Amino acid sequence: MAAKNNSNNEIESTDQVGIRRAVEVATNTDDSTDAFGSVGGSNGPTTSAGYHNNSYGSGAIGQLASNGYSSSSYQKYIAKMVTDRHAAEYNMRHKNRGMALIFNHEHFDVPTLKSRAGTNVDCENLSRVLKQMDFDVTVHKDCRYKEILRTVEYAASQNHEDSDCILVAILSHGEMGYIYAKDMQYKLDNIWSHFTANHCPTLAGKPKLFFIQACQGDRLDAGVTMQRGRTETDGDSSMSYKIPIHADFLIAYSTIPGFYSWRNTTRGSWFMQSLCAELAANGKRLDMLTLLTFVCQRVAVDFESCTPDTPEMHQQKQIPCITTMLTRILLFNDKQKAPAGRA
């Protein structure tokens, strides 16, 4: 498990723009959150009130519900079946693991967004461990929104028939329902909607993984002290079948909606530290949801903010949030042992 943070002159920080100035002037602390706007939300850029106030909420599911998809659409989409209808696990025996896109944001054009010290540590660690997992990794640094869209559209337009899956990681500032590019904010569904089965049929039935290191608000989690108590369908078918166009997505947020996400300026964010440690230790041994459960455990148990000069930010906690539309067990195999030529 990750060592407990951070008692030796490391700064705890948030990726929230305009976070209380006392954090910046602290000399013996190092943690930060991945959000923008001050505590209370008064200093950051204003977002669309209509979005925040809709009845669906602002997480991945809420964005999907408010995205204008019509349940009355009768358009017919066809994709190649890559897994037996009732298979327990995803087919991870393709020639390639797949693309991994990392969008790493350190500096911003938006005046209220502070640079994200420590994000390059996250990026380097994640890139290294994903290569060990046999992904084809490309890193995109400080991209503007249009550049992100071009990259994503290009990736979605490729033929992924010989790939197991696709992975996208975004390291940036954020708030409830929004993430920041170098020049502006955007909703996550503007990215992942390009990979739905109707838009990217060669990824239909395959895992589409998104890892988001960013704040989802400006609330703090003081935690609770735990003390030891005194007591302790009918039938199978191999015929063609239909799946929802939004099936097989997994979106792992570094924190729950409404809350800060913490980042250490020398070691990287709590979430990425934990994710990389679990992928390195258990990436080819445990299925993805089990692995992410242990990522949540690492973040929840092993980390606590250290900002004694800012009491209201001191000794705060964090818990990641996993949104899954996976339909099977996702277990990464060893590509060196994959049967030659088998897809």
Side-chain angles (χ1 to χ4, degrees):
M1 305 295 280
K4 186 148 185 157
N5 261 32
N6 291 310
S7 59
N8 43 2
N9 294 339
E10 296 171 359
I11 291 176
E12 309 272 6
S13 169
T14 72
D15 277 339
Q16 177 88 9
V17 155
I19 183 102
R20 302 184 189 215
R21 291 186 178 274
V23 176
E24 298 178 9
V25 301
T27 59
N28 61 341
T29 60
D30 233 5
D31 279 341
S32 179
T33 68
D34 278 320
F36 65 85
S38 65
V39 174
S42 60
N43 291 342
T46 305
T47 58
S48 167
Y51 179 75
H52 287 298
N53 292 335
N54 71 44
S55 60
Y56 298 110
S58 55
I61 300 301
Q63 291 188 20
L64 181 64
S66 62
N67 207 23
Y69 293 108
S70 171
S71 60
S72 62
S73 172
Y74 293 100
Q75 189 167 357
K76 187 174 183 180
Y77 301 103
I78 298 176
K80 180 181 177 182
M81 187 190 304
V82 296
T83 307
D84 290 341
R85 182 171 190 162
H86 294 117
E89 296 185 12
Y90 284 104
N91 176 9
M92 304 299 283
R93 302 183 305 277
H94 297 88
K95 179 181 178 181
N96 305 314
R97 178 72 75 213
M99 300 173 66
L101 309 177
I102 302 177
F103 295 101
N104 179 31
H105 295 278
E106 182 180 13
H107 304 295
F108 299 84
D109 290 340
V110 181
T112 50
L113 295 179
K114 293 182 294 186
S115 294
R116 301 179 59 254
T119 190
N120 291 330
V121 176
D122 281 344
C123 184
E124 291 166 6
N125 289 339
L126 184 60
S127 178
R128 182 179 64 254
V129 74
L130 290 179
K131 288 176 181 177
Q132 293 172 358
M133 299 287 291
D134 304 306
F135 279 96
D136 180 14
V137 179
T138 57
V139 175
H140 305 271
K141 179 74 181 294
D142 291 340
C143 292
R144 291 175 170 82
Y145 177 60
K146 288 185 178 180
E147 296 170 331
I148 295 174
L149 275 187
R150 281 198 297 267
T151 301
V152 167
E153 289 169 355
Y154 174 79
S157 70
Q158 299 304 293
N159 186 336
H160 300 271
E161 284 188 359
D162 291 334
S163 297
D164 293 334
C165 60
I166 193 167
L167 185 150
V168 178
I170 302 174
L171 318 176
S172 189
H173 285 297
E175 72 156 7
M176 183 82 84
Y178 289 86
I179 304 173
Y180 260 89
K182 182 178 178 66
D183 59 339
M184 63 177 288
Q185 63 183 6
Y186 63 92
K187 296 180 183 179
L188 179 60
D189 68 323
N190 293 351
I191 304 302
W192 67 269
S193 61
H194 288 278
F195 299 104
T196 55
N198 56 327
H199 292 140
C200 188
T202 56
L203 282 175
K206 298 178 180 181
K208 292 161 278 283
L209 311 176
F210 290 76
F211 296 96
I212 312 301
Q213 170 56 44
C215 281
Q216 293 204 69
D218 56 12
R219 296 173 63 187
L220 295 166
D221 184 343
V224 174
T225 301
M226 303 294 291
Q227 295 182 341
R228 186 179 299 276
R230 295 183 179 180
T231 60
E232 303 288 310
T233 63
D234 299 334
D236 295 327
S237 172
S238 60
M239 297 173 62
S240 63
Y241 60 96
K242 185 182 291 186
I243 62 171
I245 62 174
H246 300 102
D248 307 304
F249 280 85
L250 181 143
I251 304 174
Y253 295 94
S254 58
T255 190
I256 60 176
F259 282 78
Y260 280 125
S261 181
W262 291 88
R263 170 177 38 83
N264 186 277
T265 58
T266 58
R267 298 182 182 179
S269 64
W270 300 357
F271 176 61
M272 282 295 159
Q273 285 185 61
S274 302
L275 176 63
C276 292
E278 279 297 329
L279 286 174
N282 300 309
K284 293 184 179 180
R285 185 176 70 88
L286 300 177
D287 72 272
M288 179 55 68
L289 291 183
T290 300
L291 187 146
L292 286 174
T293 298
F294 290 131
V295 170
C296 289
Q297 183 187 96
R298 286 176 181 264
V299 175
V301 174
D302 294 345
F303 292 88
E304 185 174 281
S305 66
C306 181
T307 60
D309 290 347
T310 311
E312 64 271 33
M313 306 292 289
H314 189 46
Q315 295 182 321
Q316 298 297 308
K317 303 293 288 183
Q318 178 181 324
I319 184 70
C321 180
I322 314 302
T323 298
T324 177
M325 288 86 87
L326 296 181
T327 58
R328 311 178 197 281
I329 294 170
L330 173 54
L331 185 60
F332 292 101
N333 64 321
D334 189 335
K335 280 299 175 189
Q336 280 79 25
K337 299 178 181 178
R342 186 174 178 182

